[in-house]
């Protein structure tokens, strides 16, 4: 029996922040549980953080609403941020006055922020009884912390010995003659 993971998304378009700056904040929450991501956004000091938090809350509400509407069995506490992207939006061309009657052009960038949440996959435990297979329990899969490979010891280095540099003899300045 295969469980299909349902995804829920929310998008904020034409936001007055450059995508590069928004990506810095979005990278903080990718892969996190929704609850942890909301806490991260609450304490992030970037200007775009409240906006990202609003989009994340919208995706969470979309998950809640659609699961009730479609009769899906979605555990809201088991959701995580599957995707968090800031794409380029349209650019506003502006002109800044420059010296000697000239004008410099610059662009005000906009971003389209997209956040997708999904439920963690469930592992199915099955036992075979005779010819048929029965499902014992469906448990949520828990990510185990990545096991680190044993650290390799660096080969012991020999203590660095400095070779005494030969000093060149200082040149003597010719002696001054005193006035008689």
């Amino acid at each position: 029996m295969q469980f299909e993971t349902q995804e829920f998304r929310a998008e904020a378009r034409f936001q007055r922040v450059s995508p590069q700056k928004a990506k810095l904040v979005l990278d903080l929450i990718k892969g996190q549980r929704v609850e942890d991501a909301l806490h991260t956004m609450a304490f992030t000091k970037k200007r775009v953080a409240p906006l990202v938090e609003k989009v994340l809350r919208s995706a969470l509400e979309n998950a809640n609403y659609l699961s009730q509407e479609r009769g899906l069995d979605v555990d809201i506490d088991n959701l995580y941020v599957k995707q968090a992207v800031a794409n380029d939006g349209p650019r506003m061309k502006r002109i800044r006055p420059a010296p000697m009657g000239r004008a410099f052009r610059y662009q005000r960038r906009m971003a389209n922020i997209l956040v997708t949440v999904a439920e963690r996959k469930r592992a199915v435990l099955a036992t075979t009884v005779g010819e048929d297979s029965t499902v014992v329990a469906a448990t949520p899969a828990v990510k185990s912390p990545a096991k680190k490979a044993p650290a390799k010891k660096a080969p012991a280095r020999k203590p660095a010995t400095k070779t005494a540099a030969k000093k060149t003899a200082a040149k003597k300045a010719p002696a001054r003659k005193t006035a008689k």
Side-chain angles (χ1 to χ4, degrees):
M1 186 170 160
Q2 181 94 16
F3 284 104
E4 186 177 319
T5 58
Q6 185 71 30
E7 295 179 4
F8 307 96
R9 56 180 260 175
E11 187 172 2
R13 301 187 70 202
F14 311 119
Q15 300 304 311
R16 290 283 301 269
V17 63
S18 73
Q20 182 179 7
K21 292 177 183 176
K23 284 176 189 175
L24 291 174
V25 175
L26 291 170
D27 287 342
L28 294 173
I29 63 170
K30 283 182 188 172
Q32 284 190 349
R33 289 181 49 235
V34 170
E35 183 180 353
D36 295 338
L38 287 171
H39 288 299
T40 302
M41 287 299 98
F43 295 106
T44 301
K45 291 187 176 182
K46 295 284 188 180
R47 187 178 69 97
V48 71
L51 176 68
V52 173
E53 182 180 3
K54 189 175 178 181
V55 176
L56 183 59
R57 284 187 190 279
S58 178
L60 182 62
E61 288 302 316
N62 288 344
N64 189 17
Y65 175 76
L66 289 174
S67 65
Q68 291 174 359
E69 193 70 22
R70 296 179 185 165
L72 300 173
D73 183 28
V74 175
D75 184 14
I76 300 298
D77 297 330
N78 201 22
L79 293 176
Y80 74 104
V81 180
K82 183 173 183 179
Q83 185 181 22
V85 189
N87 296 320
D88 263 338
R91 296 180 178 186
M92 298 185 294
K93 276 76 172 179
R94 297 291 182 259
I95 294 176
R96 196 179 101 228
M100 298 170 61
R102 289 182 299 217
F104 290 155
R105 289 190 65 183
Y106 66 97
Q107 296 177 352
R108 301 294 304 254
R109 287 171 169 76
M110 287 193 219
N112 296 331
I113 298 172
L114 171 71
V115 175
T116 304
V117 296
E119 193 172 13
R120 292 250 185 238
K121 291 182 181 177
R122 296 180 186 171
V124 177
L125 303 174
T127 58
T128 55
V129 181
E131 297 174 8
D132 63 328
S133 147
T134 60
V135 175
V136 174
T139 58
V142 177
K143 270 193 174 180
S144 62
K147 294 182 181 178
K148 296 181 181 177
K152 295 181 182 178
K153 266 194 169 176
R157 293 186 181 185
K158 294 180 182 177
T161 56
K162 280 192 171 179
T163 55
K166 294 183 180 179
K167 292 185 178 180
T168 56
K171 293 184 181 178
K172 292 186 177 179
R176 293 187 177 171
K177 294 184 183 179
T178 59
K180 290 183 183 180

